Amino acid sequence: MTKQIKVLSIETSCDETGIAILESGAEKTISILGNALSSQIEIHAQYGGVFPALAKRAHAEKITFLIQQALSDAELLEAVDAPVENISSDLSFLDEKETQLKEHLAPFLTYYKKPDVDYIAVTVGPGLEPALWVGINTAKALSKIWNIPVIPINHMEGHIVTAVFQRINEQDFVLSPIDMPILSLLVSGGHTELVLSSELGKYQKIGQTRDDAVGEAFDKVARVLGLPYPGGPAVSGLAREWRDNEEERLFELPRPMLHSGDYDFSFSGIKTAVLYAVRDLNREMTDEEKRALAGEFENAAIEVLVHKTLKALNEHNAQTVVVGGGVAGNTYLREQLSEKISKLYPDVTVLFPEMWLATDNAVMIGMAGVLQITSNPQEKTRNPEELRADGNLSL
Ligand code: KG4
Ligand code: ZN
């Protein structure tokens, strides 16, 4: 029988603070025992984007409570009989840069027992470094006090792995057999990449954006249209109305790099074209114009993503296509990609994450952690002292 392994995972790379408790079982199954997530959307919405210093503070404020909540949901939270001694001095490495984090973590570690957890998985990049450090320092603290090994996780691998595990019921997932090679389209607020894998855990980037990420373009277009942050769902909602009502195409936007011959992307040109279209009107936009512009923008962005993905699929003979990252929640992208692939490449499987796991969360980090541990536990753990945040970490 496969030994069951419990992983506590930590995600703080951007504006979501996440803690999850996952248990791996037999036959490549994973159960979510606890999943606590706190979004900073309200904090950042007023700026139309994420402010690193504010993100760090919000992570530090929330993370201890989320650990407590996730452990409690997993029925792994137990108070101590007598306070654990010396926690404050054991956590002295937090004294200078993470005083706020320590303020919450120290009492928690003083009054609660070491839980029945085998590994800690933590995002070390890519992302906002001050935000990443909160997660990493939390992992260091828990690892030190509880004596639990730590596995550093690449956030983008988390996005890929999430789509690869298929949900079998409320909280259980299974890793079904996958035909190789896998082509992953990673689309988020910070990334737009095409990645090829001959096996899970091996990643070769074959294309990426040369400027803005596609999610970032959605967010900027939302701002121009006066829609709330994060812009993806709002812009997409207007675009859907425009499409469903078969309204007129009032604007024409470019499809940058559609025929560039490589797998790279560029989204800043579409975004600028949206800005100019609004400026050229030289008056308040009507609601009809807003829907038409959102629709044309979504059409342009998704057309480029789908075209390049099909080109890479064809040229690299991919057998499975995985879509990951916040923009994987975009229904038009899901429809277009599934439809084109089933028509042109009926033998190719397309995998999307569950909608609620498309944007950042800790379950995806735990899933990547479980995969790494089950493949090679010794090699994957790191001395916590050596953990570093790497904002530009590549796959
Ligand atoms: O993966 P994620 O949660 O965070 C990063 O790692 O960046 O992705 C967030 C991005 C945001 O830019 C957001 O606007 C975009 O994903 N997004 C969407 C949709 N849902 C989220 N973009 C288009 N359509 C959506 N439905
Ligand atoms: Zn992400």
Side-chain angles (χ1 to χ4, degrees), residues 264-333:
D264 283 352
F265 301 92
S266 165
F267 289 99
S268 81
I270 316 185
K271 170 200 71 189
T272 311
V274 168
L275 203 64
Y276 288 166
V278 173
R279 195 192 58 186
D280 291 348
L281 278 177
N282 204 18
R283 58 170 168 76
E284 263 311 272
M285 290 182 93
T286 64
D287 287 347
E288 188 193 356
E289 283 165 345
K290 285 186 183 175
R291 289 194 296 274
L293 194 50
E296 171 69 8
F297 166 74
E298 188 174 61
N299 278 357
I302 302 303
E303 190 180 322
V304 183
L305 291 175
V306 171
H307 179 87
K308 295 263 164 141
T309 305
L310 291 176
K311 178 178 157 67
L313 184 173
N314 183 44
E315 288 171 11
H316 289 277
N317 198 20
Q319 299 301 303
T320 305
V321 172
V322 163
V323 186
V327 186
N330 183 286
T331 28
Y332 189 58
L333 171 63

XYZ file of all heavy atoms in Angstrom, residues 264-333:
534
model
N 5.848 33.173 -29.610
C 5.802 34.325 -28.703
C 4.496 35.109 -28.876
O 3.805 34.975 -29.870
C 7.009 35.233 -28.945
C 8.268 34.653 -28.308
O 8.141 33.647 -27.574
O 9.365 35.193 -28.545
N 4.225 35.928 -27.854
C 3.010 36.726 -27.840
C 3.363 38.189 -27.584
O 4.448 38.506 -27.085
C 2.073 36.279 -26.701
C 1.656 34.840 -26.772
C 2.387 33.856 -26.107
C 0.528 34.471 -27.486
C 2.005 32.523 -26.163
C 0.133 33.141 -27.544
C 0.864 32.162 -26.883
N 2.419 39.082 -27.877
C 2.542 40.477 -27.480
C 1.131 40.998 -27.243
O 0.259 40.836 -28.099
C 3.218 41.285 -28.592
O 3.013 42.661 -28.359
N 0.896 41.570 -26.074
C -0.456 42.065 -25.783
C -0.506 43.570 -25.533
O -1.587 44.133 -25.418
C -1.061 41.309 -24.593
C -1.399 39.886 -24.944
C -0.543 38.852 -24.604
C -2.545 39.595 -25.668
C -0.828 37.534 -24.962
C -2.846 38.286 -26.035
C -1.985 37.267 -25.679
N 0.668 44.227 -25.470
C 0.605 45.656 -25.147
C 0.009 46.447 -26.315
O -0.642 47.467 -26.114
C 1.967 46.183 -24.720
O 2.749 46.443 -25.839
N 0.199 45.947 -27.547
C -0.353 46.631 -28.720
C -1.880 46.645 -28.722
O -2.500 47.658 -29.052
N -2.487 45.521 -28.348
C -3.969 45.471 -28.313
C -4.465 46.440 -27.247
O -5.412 47.184 -27.450
C -4.527 44.058 -27.980
C -3.796 42.960 -28.734
C -6.027 44.009 -28.246
C -4.421 41.563 -28.518
N -3.780 46.401 -26.113
C -4.184 47.270 -24.992
C -4.110 48.741 -25.406
O -5.035 49.520 -25.167
C -3.238 46.990 -23.813
C -3.340 47.936 -22.665
C -2.081 47.896 -21.813
C -0.882 48.525 -22.529
N 0.380 48.316 -21.828
N -3.008 49.125 -26.077
C -2.841 50.513 -26.516
C -3.903 50.868 -27.547
O -4.457 51.972 -27.535
C -1.434 50.714 -27.124
O -0.491 50.156 -26.210
C -1.122 52.177 -27.339
N -4.212 49.922 -28.442
C -5.253 50.171 -29.457
C -6.607 50.426 -28.785
O -7.386 51.264 -29.248
C -5.332 48.999 -30.424
N -6.872 49.717 -27.673
C -8.114 49.951 -26.924
C -8.120 51.377 -26.363
O -9.106 52.111 -26.472
C -8.273 48.923 -25.773
C -9.389 49.315 -24.816
C -8.527 47.526 -26.341
N -6.971 51.757 -25.821
C -6.834 53.100 -25.241
C -7.093 54.173 -26.300
O -7.826 55.138 -26.082
C -5.406 53.217 -24.688
C -5.160 54.244 -23.609
C -5.951 53.882 -22.360
C -3.652 54.274 -23.274
N -6.496 54.001 -27.492
C -6.668 54.969 -28.580
C -8.105 54.998 -29.066
O -8.637 56.066 -29.374
C -5.730 54.639 -29.755
C -4.278 54.942 -29.465
C -3.267 54.449 -30.281
C -3.915 55.744 -28.373
C -1.925 54.725 -30.012
C -2.587 56.018 -28.092
C -1.591 55.506 -28.914
O -0.281 55.771 -28.642
N -8.736 53.826 -29.138
C -10.125 53.768 -29.617
C -11.021 54.603 -28.704
O -11.879 55.358 -29.168
C -10.609 52.323 -29.673
N -10.763 54.512 -27.404
C -11.559 55.273 -26.433
C -11.231 56.766 -26.542
O -12.124 57.616 -26.565
C -11.298 54.761 -24.994
C -11.987 55.639 -23.973
C -11.767 53.316 -24.868
N -9.932 57.067 -26.671
C -9.516 58.467 -26.771
C -10.090 59.124 -28.031
O -10.559 60.245 -28.005
C -7.986 58.521 -26.795
C -7.418 59.889 -26.533
C -5.953 59.948 -26.850
N -5.697 59.581 -28.256
C -4.506 59.437 -28.785
N -3.425 59.564 -28.030
N -4.342 59.129 -30.072
N -10.068 58.368 -29.149
C -10.534 58.920 -30.420
C -12.029 59.234 -30.421
O -12.487 60.091 -31.181
C -10.208 57.962 -31.576
C -8.704 57.886 -31.825
O -7.977 58.737 -31.256
O -8.248 56.980 -32.559
N -12.779 58.560 -29.575
C -14.210 58.863 -29.479
C -14.420 60.292 -28.959
O -15.353 60.985 -29.344
C -14.905 57.897 -28.518
C -15.309 56.528 -29.045
C -15.905 55.708 -27.907
C -16.337 56.658 -30.168
N -13.511 60.658 -28.033
C -13.519 62.012 -27.482
C -14.844 62.372 -26.785
O -15.311 63.506 -26.838
C -13.213 63.027 -28.610
C -12.629 64.311 -28.043
O -12.161 64.316 -26.897
N -12.675 65.382 -28.810
N -15.488 61.388 -26.208
C -16.714 61.591 -25.423
C -16.924 60.356 -24.560
O -16.213 59.364 -24.723
C -17.925 61.819 -26.338
C -18.152 60.673 -27.309
C -19.474 60.766 -28.048
N -19.503 59.816 -29.160
C -19.677 58.511 -29.040
N -19.840 57.965 -27.846
N -19.680 57.716 -30.097
N -17.886 60.421 -23.649
C -18.259 59.245 -22.842
C -18.626 58.089 -23.763
O -19.321 58.306 -24.764
C -19.523 59.563 -22.064
C -19.503 60.034 -20.627
C -18.718 59.325 -19.597
O -19.285 58.394 -19.015
O -17.557 59.718 -19.332
N -18.190 56.881 -23.431
C -18.606 55.736 -24.244
C -20.032 55.338 -23.879
O -20.405 55.411 -22.715
C -17.724 54.521 -23.954
C -16.337 54.635 -24.451
S -15.486 53.080 -24.056
C -15.749 52.189 -25.569
N -20.784 54.874 -24.834
C -22.109 54.321 -24.531
C -21.915 52.891 -24.025
O -20.845 52.291 -24.224
C -23.005 54.268 -25.785
O -22.399 53.353 -26.707
C -23.144 55.642 -26.417
N -22.933 52.344 -23.397
C -22.834 50.959 -22.917
C -22.642 49.996 -24.088
O -21.917 49.012 -23.983
C -24.087 50.572 -22.126
C -24.106 51.242 -20.762
O -23.041 51.791 -20.368
O -25.155 51.240 -20.105
N -23.284 50.311 -25.209
C -23.148 49.457 -26.386
C -21.701 49.457 -26.873
O -21.143 48.406 -27.240
C -24.095 49.958 -27.488
C -24.167 49.006 -28.670
C -24.850 49.623 -29.893
O -25.331 50.777 -29.786
O -24.863 48.951 -30.935
N -21.081 50.631 -26.859
C -19.675 50.728 -27.285
C -18.763 49.961 -26.328
O -17.803 49.314 -26.746
C -19.259 52.199 -27.378
C -19.797 52.874 -28.636
C -19.728 54.394 -28.593
O -19.526 54.973 -27.488
O -19.900 55.009 -29.654
N -19.083 50.047 -25.042
C -18.256 49.312 -24.066
C -18.335 47.812 -24.317
O -17.327 47.107 -24.272
C -18.713 49.619 -22.633
C -18.282 50.989 -22.163
C -18.631 51.192 -20.700
C -18.254 52.607 -20.282
N -18.664 52.919 -18.917
N -19.538 47.325 -24.566
C -19.693 45.879 -24.837
C -18.953 45.493 -26.114
O -18.258 44.472 -26.163
C -21.179 45.522 -24.982
C -21.976 45.570 -23.687
C -23.323 44.876 -23.840
N -24.201 45.527 -24.807
C -25.025 46.543 -24.523
N -25.115 47.002 -23.284
N -25.789 47.081 -25.465
N -19.060 46.352 -27.135
C -18.423 46.048 -28.419
C -16.896 46.048 -28.293
O -16.210 45.205 -28.876
C -18.864 47.060 -29.472
N -16.376 46.984 -27.502
C -14.921 47.060 -27.351
C -14.411 45.882 -26.519
O -13.385 45.270 -26.835
C -14.530 48.407 -26.711
C -13.057 48.794 -26.771
C -12.481 48.656 -28.181
C -12.843 50.235 -26.283
N -15.135 45.552 -25.453
C -14.753 44.387 -24.639
C -14.789 43.126 -25.497
O -13.888 42.284 -25.436
C -15.708 44.254 -23.444
N -15.829 42.999 -26.328
C -15.979 41.816 -27.176
C -14.865 41.700 -28.192
O -14.273 40.627 -28.372
N -14.556 42.824 -28.848
C -13.487 42.795 -29.850
C -12.138 42.514 -29.179
O -11.309 41.771 -29.708
C -13.453 44.149 -30.599
C -12.273 44.360 -31.529
C -12.274 43.472 -32.780
O -13.291 42.774 -33.021
O -11.255 43.465 -33.496
N -11.941 43.079 -27.990
C -10.679 42.817 -27.272
C -10.566 41.333 -26.929
O -9.533 40.701 -27.161
C -10.574 43.657 -25.992
C -9.483 43.160 -25.083
C -8.150 43.396 -25.394
C -9.784 42.399 -23.951
C -7.136 42.885 -24.598
C -8.776 41.892 -23.154
C -7.446 42.142 -23.477
N -11.632 40.773 -26.369
C -11.558 39.363 -25.991
C -11.355 38.487 -27.228
O -10.541 37.558 -27.221
C -12.815 38.925 -25.225
C -12.668 37.519 -24.657
C -13.829 37.106 -23.771
O -14.973 37.049 -24.261
O -13.592 36.845 -22.579
N -12.064 38.803 -28.306
C -11.875 38.044 -29.549
C -10.413 38.074 -29.996
O -9.843 37.047 -30.366
C -12.734 38.644 -30.674
C -14.174 38.150 -30.604
O -14.504 37.328 -29.757
N -15.025 38.651 -31.477
N -9.822 39.287 -29.980
C -8.442 39.445 -30.461
C -7.474 38.655 -29.573
O -6.640 37.886 -30.066
C -8.067 40.930 -30.474
N -7.610 38.826 -28.254
C -6.672 38.169 -27.328
C -6.794 36.643 -27.422
O -5.789 35.929 -27.515
C -6.950 38.646 -25.894
N -8.028 36.150 -27.427
C -8.228 34.698 -27.431
C -7.829 34.095 -28.786
O -7.267 33.000 -28.847
C -9.697 34.341 -27.061
C -10.078 34.907 -25.691
C -9.934 32.830 -27.131
C -9.232 34.501 -24.508
N -8.081 34.857 -29.862
C -7.699 34.346 -31.188
C -6.196 34.089 -31.254
O -5.753 33.054 -31.759
C -8.117 35.364 -32.261
C -7.990 34.824 -33.689
C -8.418 35.858 -34.728
O -9.392 36.603 -34.490
O -7.766 35.913 -35.791
N -5.411 35.027 -30.730
C -3.954 34.848 -30.756
C -3.551 33.650 -29.883
O -2.729 32.818 -30.297
C -3.224 36.131 -30.274
C -1.730 35.949 -30.373
C -3.654 37.337 -31.087
N -4.133 33.545 -28.696
C -3.784 32.430 -27.796
C -4.104 31.083 -28.452
O -3.283 30.155 -28.433
C -4.549 32.535 -26.467
C -4.182 33.675 -25.527
C -5.119 33.686 -24.320
C -2.728 33.564 -25.050
N -5.281 30.990 -29.043
C -5.706 29.720 -29.642
C -4.845 29.393 -30.863
O -4.367 28.258 -31.021
C -7.216 29.772 -30.019
C -7.625 28.565 -30.841
C -8.066 29.865 -28.753
N -4.587 30.405 -31.701
C -3.795 30.178 -32.910
C -2.409 29.644 -32.568
O -1.940 28.650 -33.145
C -3.684 31.497 -33.691
C -2.868 31.381 -34.940
N -3.403 30.999 -36.144
C -1.536 31.566 -35.170
C -2.453 30.958 -37.062
N -1.309 31.308 -36.491
N -1.741 30.289 -31.607
C -0.371 29.872 -31.271
C -0.356 28.506 -30.581
O 0.566 27.719 -30.754
C 0.296 30.925 -30.373
C 0.493 32.258 -31.057
C 1.887 32.402 -31.624
C 1.975 33.528 -32.618
N 3.197 34.314 -32.568
N -1.388 28.242 -29.800
C -1.443 26.938 -29.123
C -1.617 25.822 -30.158
O -0.938 24.789 -30.091
C -2.601 26.920 -28.100
O -2.435 28.023 -27.217
C -2.627 25.629 -27.293
N -2.482 26.045 -31.154
C -2.694 25.031 -32.193
C -1.435 24.821 -33.027
O -1.088 23.693 -33.397
C -3.855 25.436 -33.104
C -5.242 25.413 -32.461
C -6.295 25.919 -33.423
C -5.600 24.017 -31.983
N -0.731 25.916 -33.293
C 0.514 25.829 -34.072
C 1.544 24.983 -33.320
O 2.177 24.086 -33.881
C 1.050 27.248 -34.314
C 2.368 27.333 -35.059
C 2.731 28.819 -35.253
C 4.229 29.026 -35.455
N 4.722 28.470 -36.704
N 1.669 25.243 -32.005
C 2.638 24.491 -31.200
C 2.203 23.037 -31.062
O 3.034 22.113 -31.145
C 2.776 25.137 -29.823
N 0.916 22.827 -30.866
C 0.375 21.460 -30.746
C 0.753 20.653 -31.995
O 1.261 19.536 -31.920
C -1.140 21.561 -30.621
C -2.037 20.348 -30.387
C -3.452 20.834 -30.133
C -2.057 19.344 -31.488
N 0.520 21.264 -33.140
C 0.773 20.603 -34.415
C 2.266 20.326 -34.611
O 2.664 19.201 -34.906
C 0.227 21.501 -35.528
C 0.375 20.859 -36.883
O 0.094 19.666 -37.047
N 0.820 21.621 -37.860
N 3.088 21.347 -34.402
C 4.509 21.201 -34.708
C 5.243 20.312 -33.708
O 6.252 19.711 -34.034
C 5.165 22.583 -34.824
C 4.701 23.272 -36.112
C 5.120 24.726 -36.238
O 5.953 25.198 -35.440
O 4.577 25.397 -37.138
N 4.743 20.229 -32.484
C 5.411 19.389 -31.478
C 4.658 18.100 -31.221
O 5.007 17.355 -30.304
C 5.616 20.172 -30.184
C 6.653 21.244 -30.304
N 7.996 21.001 -30.176
C 6.531 22.550 -30.598
C 8.668 22.130 -30.361
N 7.790 23.086 -30.618
N 3.619 17.871 -31.995
C 2.863 16.628 -31.903
C 2.371 16.345 -30.473
O 2.471 15.214 -29.978
C 3.751 15.480 -32.412
C 2.927 14.257 -32.769
O 1.715 14.373 -32.984
N 3.556 13.101 -32.774
N 1.886 17.401 -29.816
C 1.400 17.235 -28.436
C 0.182 16.329 -28.406
O -0.651 16.374 -29.312
C 1.057 18.607 -27.839
N 0.083 15.517 -27.363
C -1.055 14.599 -27.219
C -2.065 15.114 -26.190
O -3.207 14.681 -26.158
C -0.563 13.209 -26.805
C 0.370 12.583 -27.829
C -0.294 12.438 -29.189
O -1.326 11.808 -29.313
N 0.288 13.057 -30.223
N -1.568 15.992 -25.314
C -2.433 16.570 -24.276
C -2.165 18.073 -24.221
O -1.008 18.491 -24.284
C -2.107 15.953 -22.898
O -2.221 14.533 -22.994
C -3.018 16.474 -21.815
N -3.231 18.854 -24.126
C -3.075 20.299 -23.945
C -3.630 20.661 -22.573
O -4.748 20.263 -22.226
C -3.803 21.100 -25.052
C -3.793 22.589 -24.743
C -3.154 20.843 -26.410
N -2.815 21.374 -21.799
C -3.210 21.794 -20.455
C -3.290 23.316 -20.443
O -2.409 23.980 -20.978
C -2.153 21.315 -19.427
C -2.300 22.059 -18.111
C -2.251 19.821 -19.217
N -4.339 23.855 -19.864
C -4.423 25.310 -19.732
C -4.385 25.649 -18.247
O -5.105 25.025 -17.456
C -5.707 25.866 -20.381
C -5.701 27.389 -20.374
C -5.838 25.351 -21.807
N -3.548 26.600 -17.859
C -3.424 26.946 -16.440
C -3.302 28.435 -16.225
O -2.947 29.181 -17.144
N -3.606 28.892 -15.003
C -3.509 30.310 -14.663
C -4.882 30.951 -14.639
O -5.851 30.373 -15.139
N -4.955 32.143 -14.073
C -6.238 32.816 -13.871
C -7.090 32.913 -15.130
O -8.319 32.747 -15.076
N -6.458 33.167 -16.284
C -7.221 33.343 -17.525
C -7.778 31.995 -18.027
O -8.640 31.964 -18.901
C -6.368 34.072 -18.593
C -7.182 34.408 -19.829
C -5.771 35.353 -18.021
N -7.323 30.898 -17.445
C -7.905 29.583 -17.770
C -9.363 29.525 -17.312
O -10.106 28.635 -17.710
C -7.106 28.459 -17.114
N -9.765 30.492 -16.481
C -11.161 30.580 -16.062
C -12.033 31.269 -17.119
O -13.239 31.360 -16.952
N -11.410 31.753 -18.187
C -12.160 32.469 -19.226
C -12.967 31.490 -20.088
O -12.412 30.625 -20.763
C -11.163 33.258 -20.097
C -11.850 34.075 -21.157
O -12.330 33.552 -22.151
N -11.919 35.374 -20.935
N -14.274 31.641 -20.046
C -15.130 30.661 -20.736
C -14.953 30.694 -22.249
O -15.028 29.656 -22.899
C -16.635 30.884 -20.429
O -16.829 32.251 -20.150
C -17.071 30.086 -19.249
N -14.715 31.881 -22.817
C -14.561 31.957 -24.271
C -13.295 31.216 -24.711
O -13.299 30.484 -25.707
C -14.533 33.433 -24.708
C -14.594 33.606 -26.202
C -15.660 33.094 -26.939
C -13.581 34.283 -26.888
C -15.712 33.248 -28.315
C -13.631 34.446 -28.260
C -14.696 33.926 -28.975
O -14.744 34.070 -30.341
N -12.217 31.363 -23.942
C -10.991 30.614 -24.240
C -11.260 29.115 -24.152
O -10.841 28.336 -25.023
C -9.869 31.011 -23.265
C -8.591 30.161 -23.310
C -7.905 30.265 -24.673
C -7.605 30.571 -22.213
